[in-house]
Amino acid sequence: MLNWRVIVPFILTGTIWGSTWFVITGQIDGVPAAWSVFYRFALATPALFLVAFLMKRRLRLTRPEHKLAVLVGVFQFSGNFLFVYHAELYVTSGIVAMMFGLLMVPNALFGRLFLGERVQSGFAMGSAVAIVGVLLLLVHEWRANPDAGVVGGNVVLGIGLAFFGIVAASIANVIQANPTGRAVPMVSLLAWAMLYGTLFDLGFALVTAGPPPFPTGINYWAGIVYLALIGSVVTFPLHYNLVREIGAGRTAYNSILTISVAMLISTLFEGYVWTWLTASGMVLAVAGMVLALRAKQSR
């Protein structure tokens, strides 16, 4: 764990992913969220194919593997991100990140339902504590913005959108863990899934948001480049290298760093106000996630 090959990618991925939640807010300011999602993955997709090629991973998939890539793409790179981008119209980016820290809960439930994986009692207890903590943060978010929300609209709507984003991401996680998915190099599966997801994003944007806008602001396109290349393409190889080096259980602790960075950025740049309620919620959420991850790792 103290090797530089572990410490550097661990810190980089946690910090980068923690920052992406705030960068997204600049992508939905005056630009339809659906088009921002499409622009992000339209740039990231060819770059991820290049990464797979440079890593010498096979890019030819069988028909069942392509079908799986379609499902992963629709749930992960369309449903998940479309829900997230729209959720951040109404809820502070750091709070959405905190909610996604609970992704391990539906992962465990779907894993139990579809893959027959056991759920440890320690994992359930830790998850319950984390859920209580996140609920306290959401209560504060609603109290602070009962009508208008953070950017505009309804906080409850934003929470609901984030919830559906979590479910979509969890479904993508579970279905790619089947025997077909495990036979495909992860980077190759993600590249094809991202391509299919991007095509779906294009159709969704055309139907729901009309013709594509072309913002002239340099900050917008800088954000697209950051999210596509740094936040998507660079971090995936680092993340899966961590899984090989220290295992999936220990790598999952990276989510704690991610949400901590996201909440720090929300405090500094979104004016997030800390109270006894939010502080208690943060402590419970992080402590619960640590307990749950420890139980999951011990299994």
Side-chain angles (χ1 to χ4, degrees):
M1 286 293 291
L2 297 180
N3 191 303
W4 68 270
R5 291 186 304 175
V6 173
I7 295 175
V8 172
F10 190 94
I11 294 176
L12 279 177
T13 53
T15 303
I16 291 171
W17 278 341
S19 68
T20 57
W21 299 94
F22 175 71
V23 177
I24 289 174
T25 62
Q27 306 298 293
I28 55 179
D29 185 11
V31 179
W35 280 113
S36 290
V37 173
F38 167 74
Y39 289 148
R40 172 178 180 171
F41 293 119
L43 177 59
T45 297
L48 193 56
F49 270 101
L50 178 60
V51 170
F53 175 77
L54 294 176
M55 294 177 68
K56 299 182 179 180
R57 302 293 189 263
R58 70 174 175 92
L59 288 170
R60 294 176 63 90
L61 304 186
T62 64
R63 179 170 294 183
E65 291 168 349
H66 271 294
K67 290 180 179 179
L68 177 62
V70 170
L71 289 175
V72 173
V74 169
F75 282 106
Q76 178 67 41
F77 299 110
S78 294
N80 173 27
F81 283 91
L82 287 170
F83 281 125
V84 166
Y85 274 56
H86 286 88
E88 290 199 20
L89 288 168
Y90 313 110
V91 182
T92 306
S93 65
I95 297 300
V96 178
M98 285 293 303
M99 291 183 66
F100 265 78
L102 297 176
L103 182 62
M104 56 187 167
V105 177
N107 280 353
L109 294 177
F110 286 137
R112 172 62 177 170
L113 182 62
F114 297 111
L115 302 178
E117 296 180 348
R118 292 179 55 197
V119 179
Q120 299 289 86
S121 58
F123 178 84
M125 183 178 300
S127 298
V129 173
I131 289 172
V132 171
V134 172
L135 286 176
L136 292 179
L137 292 168
L138 295 178
V139 167
H140 173 267
E141 189 80 358
W142 181 81
R143 285 181 177 178
N145 308 276
D147 299 314
V150 177
V151 180
N154 191 304
V155 170
V156 175
L157 174 60
I159 293 172
L161 290 169
F163 171 79
F164 284 115
I166 294 170
V167 172
S170 183
I171 292 174
N173 286 342
V174 172
I175 61 177
Q176 62 84 27
N178 66 18
T180 300
R182 297 186 185 197
V184 187
M186 179 57 69
V187 176
S188 302
L189 178 62
L190 288 174
W192 280 105
M194 190 178 289
L195 174 61
Y196 291 128
T198 302
L199 294 175
F200 184 90
D201 293 334
L202 174 60
F204 183 85
L206 285 171
V207 171
T208 62
F214 295 99
T216 57
I218 186 66
N219 290 338
Y220 177 84
W221 294 108
I224 289 290
V225 171
Y226 181 80
L227 291 170
L229 301 185
I230 307 300
S232 300
V233 176
V234 170
T235 50
F236 275 124
L238 290 176
H239 173 75
Y240 288 109
N241 182 66
L242 273 177
V243 173
R244 289 198 303 268
E245 291 285 340
I246 62 177
R250 289 180 176 178
T251 302
Y253 284 98
N254 194 263
S255 62
I256 306 299
L257 176 59
T258 297
I259 61 177
S260 298
V261 171
M263 289 302 294
L264 175 62
I265 292 176
S266 287
T267 302
L268 295 176
F269 299 105
E270 290 184 282
Y272 188 78
V273 178
W274 289 92
T275 65
W276 68 269
L277 186 65
T278 56
S280 301
M282 182 70 174
V283 170
L284 286 174
V286 172
M289 290 175 193
V290 171
L291 290 173
L293 289 171
R294 284 176 62 87
K296 188 174 183 180
Q297 180 183 342
S298 65
R299 191 191 75 177

